[in-house]
Amino acid sequence: GASILLLRACLGLLAFPVYLLSFLGVWEPFCRKVFFPYILDKISVVHDKKSKKHKLELFRNLPEFRSPSGELRLLEIGTGAGSNFQFYPPGCKVTCTDINPHFQESLSKNMRKNQHLQYERFLVAAGEDLHQVPSGSVDVVVCTLVLCSVRSVSSTLREALRVLRPGGAFYFLEHVAAEHSSWKYFWQQVCYPTWKLIFAGCCLTRELWKNLEEAKFSELKVQHISVALPWTPIEPHIVGYGVK
């Protein structure tokens, strides 16, 4: 415990300018509008390469959740720049949501690259509050690298279940806490406060599989995997889907 506190303090000194900007109320608006969209765009390129095989396998059975009419209505929580669009089947009707509206440039670029989809609308909304989306109105909800930063995981999962029709599915791929006895978990604890500040509330030590198990899915498939990103503490991931 003492070593973690000491290393946290050292990391805090290195990131002192960010802490100072945060104290002055400057960092959060700058992070949301400029820094986070920029850095997420760069990280997504690397993460997409590392996780591509997992996403291909994850989204392979999306067509099985089409509605009786043959449509596939998909809502993505935390769409960001739209890096998942390439994995969705042709004709899929996509509703994009994100709490941060400052991804327009990258999002528009990915929309142009993926014209096999039908883009319904973009909603500025937190995962915990999707009141603009009617209950039981979508076939699939997708959430990747988002549950780490929502204010309430349980509320977000409740909203996902609410907007899903019976028989619909919630797909996820998220980084999670490492094994508690591992060095990876040690470094996650060291980096936690500074990482959360710099990366817009991203929490490194959430055991999200427990939240998913507590949610009321009739069927849940969870797989623990590793997505190695150099010099980052977010290697442990979970991937899978739950059925309403």
Side-chain angles (χ1 to χ4, degrees), residues 10 34-35 59 92 154 168 189 193 204:
C10 293
V34 180
F35 176 78
F59 295 124
C92 179
S154 58
Q189 292 182 89
L204 293 171

Side-chain angles (χ1 to χ4, degrees), residues 159-181:
E159 277 292 83
L161 280 163
R162 180 186 66 79
V163 301
L164 279 172
R165 65 166 176 82
F170 174 77
Y171 284 75
F172 56 88
L173 188 152
E174 301 283 346
H175 70 81
V176 294
E179 181 66 37
H180 283 207
S181 60

Side-chain angles (χ1 to χ4, degrees), residues 72-84:
L72 182 62
R73 299 158 301 173
L74 184 150
L75 180 143
E76 184 165 356
I77 299 174
T79 306
S83 61
N84 289 328

Side-chain angles (χ1 to χ4, degrees), residues 89-138:
C92 179
K93 295 186 175 181
V94 180
T95 296
C96 305
T97 73
D98 206 293
I99 195 172
N100 188 342
H102 301 293
F103 289 97
Q104 294 98 325
E105 186 177 343
S106 298
L107 183 62
S108 296
K109 179 181 176 182
N110 273 318
M111 283 180 168
R112 289 193 297 270
K113 285 172 60 179
N114 293 279
Q115 295 188 20
H116 64 289
L117 305 176
Q118 297 179 40
Y119 300 102
E120 299 281 272
R121 54 180 176 162
F122 178 88
L123 303 175
V124 178
E128 301 94 329
D129 183 10
L130 300 172
H131 69 272
Q132 300 170 77
V133 184
S135 299
S137 63
V138 299

